[in-house]
Amino acid sequence: MAKLGLVTNAVGLVISLTGTVLLFLHVTDEYHSAIQDIGSIAIGYLGLILLGVSVSVTGIALLLRANVD
């Protein structure tokens, strides 16, 4: 169970990091930052970041459960 927790935590961190980098690249790009609909695009990237955080928290919960057993 501990190995599954570590893998889940790592996957969550990779998803969050990917969302953060994509959001940063999109906001700092001169062409994309001029788009009027930047709010909905940013919400999509923030959703990806929050998905990664929730997967990472699930991995931490699995690690804690493995320590109790």
Side-chain angles (χ1 to χ4, degrees), residues 8-17 46-58:
T8 306
N9 194 6
V11 168
L13 290 175
V14 168
I15 292 171
S16 292
L17 183 66
L46 291 174
L48 185 64
I49 294 168
L50 290 176
L51 173 69
V53 168
S54 65
V55 170
S56 184
V57 168
T58 302

Side-chain angles (χ1 to χ4, degrees), residues 4-67:
L4 178 63
L6 285 174
V7 170
T8 306
N9 194 6
V11 168
L13 290 175
V14 168
I15 292 171
S16 292
L17 183 66
T18 303
T20 303
V21 168
L22 286 173
L23 180 61
F24 178 76
L25 290 175
H26 192 86
V27 171
T28 57
D29 187 14
E30 186 176 326
Y31 171 73
H32 287 109
S33 63
I35 296 175
Q36 297 297 322
D37 200 24
I38 191 75
S40 62
I41 295 169
I43 295 295
Y45 289 132
L46 291 174
L48 185 64
I49 294 168
L50 290 176
L51 173 69
V53 168
S54 65
V55 170
S56 184
V57 168
T58 302
I60 292 171
L62 288 171
L63 282 172
L64 292 175
R65 182 176 177 203
N67 288 338

